[in-house]
Amino acid sequence: MEKSVGVKSQEGTVDNGSQEYAIRQHTTEEVDVEEQVKRPWWHSIKEPGSALQIVIAAALAIAIGLSVSSTVDDIPYAAPTILEIPGALWLRALRAAVLPMIVTAMILAVQRLRELSNGGNILARWTIGYYVLTTLFAIVHSIILTSLVWRTLMTQASAESLNVEEDDKETFEERESTDIADVVVQMFESLIPINVVNALATDSLLAVLVTSIVIGYLIDGRTSYILKAVVEVEQIILKIITVLIKLAPIGVFFLILSNMFRLDVRDIGQNLGVLIGGSLVNLALHLFIVLPALFFIFTRKNPYSFWFRCSPAWMTAWGTASSAATLPLSLKVVRQAGVSNTVSKFTVPLGCLVNMDGTAIYFPICVVFLAETQGHSLSPADYVIICLLSTLASIGTTPIPSSSLVLTVMIAGSVDVEITGMYAVIIAIDWFIDRFRTMTNVSGDLFAAEIIERLSGFNDQVGHEDDADNGVRDERERGHGMV
């Protein structure tokens, strides 16, 4: 039953007379939560879109894909292409939900931060500072391991392997022509759109995010009908995402299976094996040592239990190889893990666009791979340049599959590493390593939400409720008649 007094919604201070949309009654929610707690652990296997279903789907796809690709000499091109259709459609649907999700999440988060005298500034500073810090950690330990361990295992490739195919020359030359200064300028220009409508139409997510922050700050939540529309759009998107999450095991299965058909294990030589192995070890070090250590230091909680509670997000990230496509699920799991609504809506979308630790880790080993296979030794000064450019490039990388390939050429050119035929090897295997990079990127965003909430000391008092899905406060708080 609705109250006659004013209420304070999760997004800002509103009045019941003009903003009744903020009230939603879900009387059966607590009962459902209690029933879920009483269920045995294996019950989640039957729940559509559960973490166990995603794991099983991924394992089946890998097993089937490896067995077929290792036994069949010539897999028809049409086979993986047709098999990819269900997964591609599911991924496109997820991508379609990302842009409105970013717009609504950032507007509502900024509206909530406006209520505080300086809480918004504190949260923003901690978020940006933490993301820059973890990116630097990722690059530094990647460079150290690559220069001391993986570089020594690489061998100079034959002249035939270094030759560039005629069909690839034009593409390589185009990517080599990319200047460092141009990339830096483009990165800053991408923050401010010339045409907001065009930014929305072309999925310029960073420009959309900045625009959403400005709009969220300027909207007057007490009288704005725009805010009412934003809340309604968010509710629609959440319903769509709920359905897509239930379909996640199917989408992940077909995406992985089609890509496994394209993998030829027999063609992996020593250099490529070192590239794959070194990349995975570097990513694992950051994911299982560096990030958990930071999480424990700042929160004094078990990082691995938190990571496993958020497993649907990073498993989906592995299957889709897209941080952007995983964003709706990332927001959902951090809310379920207890992170406050405003902090999660601010930190997770921002991290999806600028916190690319996995990508930052991959840049150094790719450049060293290109250098060592042609007998080119990098100097300490070269490694410093790689570190600085990798930091900028990882921030400027779009959260879509294989977006780092162009920037890899730019960084290699900055240290006078020639692009040879071995770059085609990086392209051929990028789809595989990209999955682990994306999983690391998304995991970094998940850890960051909890850490930043603790560092900033910000909690909007609705952090442990499921208002991200329902758009409401708990009945107890509404009963207080807060305005």
Side-chain angles (χ1 to χ4, degrees), residues 9-186:
S9 75
Q10 62 173 22
E11 292 82 22
T13 303
V14 298
D15 182 75
N16 191 41
S18 61
Q19 303 289 356
E20 293 180 356
Y21 64 87
I23 301 177
R24 302 288 187 273
Q25 298 293 346
H26 294 273
T27 56
T28 60
E29 181 183 352
E30 294 183 2
V31 177
D32 292 339
V33 172
E34 291 178 359
E35 290 179 356
Q36 187 175 7
V37 172
K38 296 177 182 178
R39 293 170 180 170
W41 67 270
W42 47 264
H43 187 274
S44 61
I45 297 178
K46 297 186 291 183
E47 294 180 4
S50 66
L52 283 176
Q53 282 194 355
I54 295 175
V55 170
I56 293 172
L60 284 175
I62 293 173
I64 296 173
L66 283 177
S67 61
V68 172
S69 62
S70 59
T71 55
V72 178
D73 293 332
D74 188 15
I75 298 177
Y77 173 79
T81 303
I82 294 175
L83 280 173
E84 193 178 16
I85 291 176
L89 293 178
W90 174 75
L91 186 58
R92 288 171 66 90
L94 267 179
R95 290 276 298 164
V98 167
L99 191 140
M101 170 66 76
I102 290 178
V103 172
T104 57
M106 295 309 298
I107 289 177
L108 297 179
V110 172
Q111 275 287 300
R112 174 58 183 152
L113 292 174
R114 279 191 61 191
E115 298 178 12
L116 307 175
S117 58
N118 59 359
N121 294 333
I122 294 173
L123 182 59
R125 285 199 300 266
W126 278 116
T127 301
I128 296 172
Y130 176 80
Y131 283 153
V132 172
L133 178 67
T134 56
T135 300
L136 287 174
F137 279 169
I139 294 172
V140 169
H141 77 68
S142 176
I143 287 179
I144 292 174
L145 274 177
T146 300
S147 60
L148 297 181
V149 180
W150 311 126
R151 180 185 62 82
T152 61
L153 299 177
M154 296 177 184
T155 60
Q156 185 171 348
S158 63
E160 292 182 357
S161 300
L162 295 176
N163 289 334
V164 179
E165 298 290 337
E166 289 295 331
D167 296 338
D168 297 331
K169 275 187 177 181
E170 185 177 346
T171 302
F172 291 179
E173 290 174 357
E174 180 182 347
R175 294 181 177 179
E176 282 183 295
S177 64
T178 304
D179 189 69
I180 302 172
D182 293 337
V183 173
V184 175
V185 171
Q186 289 172 9

Side-chain angles (χ1 to χ4, degrees), residues 374-395:
Q374 58 185 286
H376 181 104
S377 296
L378 298 174
S379 66
D382 292 332
Y383 284 109
V384 173
I385 294 174
I386 292 172
C387 178
L388 295 175
L389 292 180
S390 296
T391 304
L392 291 174
S394 63
I395 294 174

Side-chain angles (χ1 to χ4, degrees), residues 32 192 315 444:
D32 292 339
I192 309 297
M315 287 178 185

Side-chain angles (χ1 to χ4, degrees), residues 256-279:
I256 295 175
L257 182 62
S258 59
N259 280 292
M260 294 304 296
F261 277 4
R262 299 185 177 101
L263 177 65
D264 192 346
V265 181
R266 294 167 294 186
D267 285 346
I268 299 179
Q270 178 178 341
N271 286 325
L272 188 53
V274 172
L275 175 63
I276 297 173
S279 300

Side-chain angles (χ1 to χ4, degrees), residues 210-253:
V210 173
T211 305
S212 301
I213 291 175
V214 174
I215 293 174
Y217 183 79
L218 296 177
I219 288 177
D220 186 350
R222 295 169 297 182
T223 58
S224 175
Y225 287 98
I226 295 178
L227 187 60
K228 177 179 179 179
V230 169
V231 174
E232 293 298 329
V233 170
E234 185 192 40
Q235 296 302 311
I236 294 172
I237 294 300
L238 287 173
K239 291 177 182 178
I240 295 172
I241 290 170
T242 300
V243 175
L244 293 176
I245 288 173
K246 292 180 180 180
L247 297 175
I250 299 174
V252 169
F253 175 82

